[in-house]
Amino acid sequence: MGADQHPQAVRASDQDRDAMLVRLHTAFAEGRLSEPELDERIDLVLAARTHGELGAVAADLPSGCVGTVPDDAERTPAGRFQVAYKSSVTRAGRWRPPERYTVAVYKGTGLLDLRAAELTRRVTTLRVLAYKSTVEIIVPPGVRVEADGVGVSAEVHAAPPADAPVVHIRGYAYKGSIQAKDRIRRA
């Protein structure tokens, strides 16, 4: 950035827009925005070219929820969230989920396959927002699933041992669903 360039005039990146979309969906989940307001603001975020335009989209929301685009030092570390806007996200294979992992899906689908994941924490918390979407979470045998929220269901057949790792799913599904299961049904 040049010495005389105002921070609000700096061009926004795709990552900046993605972060703002997550924040808007969070505001919607908290009841701060109505569905038409969310749709309108999503269009503005996708059209935004500068940090100033992105900040204006959320100027009336509390900073803990949306506020402005965060500085690099305040960004969520890579690998802690996924966003799908009218598309899909998948996380599968060998990976190590962080203690808290967030997935926000807007008019799309999501798949979190934990069968080959390295669950190194006693409790792994998945925060899931499914807006007119379906998010499927597949857990390995021997894992305890605790699910709460709106539109969240769990279908786990195996009885885990008392000291089993815990996958805690905190979800909100609006006109969609969040499903946790330990088996994949073949069509």
Side-chain angles (χ1 to χ4, degrees):
M1 170 169 48
D4 60 344
Q5 189 175 18
H6 192 275
Q8 297 297 312
V10 173
R11 293 190 61 93
S13 69
D14 288 341
Q15 184 178 6
D16 296 331
R17 283 184 278 279
D18 288 347
M20 185 58 75
L21 289 172
V22 169
R23 294 174 137 196
L24 289 177
H25 281 89
T26 300
F28 172 76
E30 293 173 348
R32 297 179 192 278
L33 297 174
S34 67
E35 183 177 348
E37 289 172 316
L38 177 64
D39 289 339
E40 178 185 340
R41 291 180 191 217
I42 286 171
D43 291 340
L44 293 171
V45 166
L46 295 175
R49 291 185 179 196
T50 66
H51 282 219
E53 291 171 351
L54 281 178
V57 171
D60 62 338
L61 297 170
S63 61
C65 173
V66 179
T68 60
V69 177
D71 294 333
D72 286 340
E74 297 175 334
R75 287 190 198 283
T76 303
R80 296 206 182 272
F81 71 91
Q82 287 184 291
V83 177
Y85 175 76
K86 295 184 180 179
S87 63
S88 64
V89 293
T90 299
R91 187 66 195 237
R94 192 167 175 87
W95 63 297
R96 184 175 295 156
E99 186 174 3
R100 289 183 187 85
Y101 192 76
T102 302
V103 177
V105 182
Y106 176 82
K107 295 183 181 178
T109 59
L111 171 65
L112 289 178
D113 187 343
L114 302 175
R115 291 175 297 170
E118 297 175 31
L119 299 173
T120 58
R121 310 248 188 229
R122 174 85 177 105
V123 177
T124 301
T125 301
L126 303 177
R127 296 174 291 196
V128 182
L129 172 66
Y131 179 85
K132 295 184 180 178
S133 305
T134 298
V135 176
E136 186 176 49
I137 302 159
I138 304 169
V139 298
V143 170
R144 182 178 314 284
V145 174
E146 297 174 355
D148 63 51
V150 177
V152 181
S153 63
E155 183 181 341
V156 180
H157 300 278
D163 62 343
V166 176
V167 174
H168 185 166
I169 301 164
R170 300 180 68 199
Y172 178 80
Y174 176 77
K175 295 185 180 179
S177 66
I178 301 166
Q179 305 164 354
K181 52 188 167 183
D182 63 353
R183 297 179 185 171
I184 299 177
R185 289 212 172 99
R186 304 286 182 209

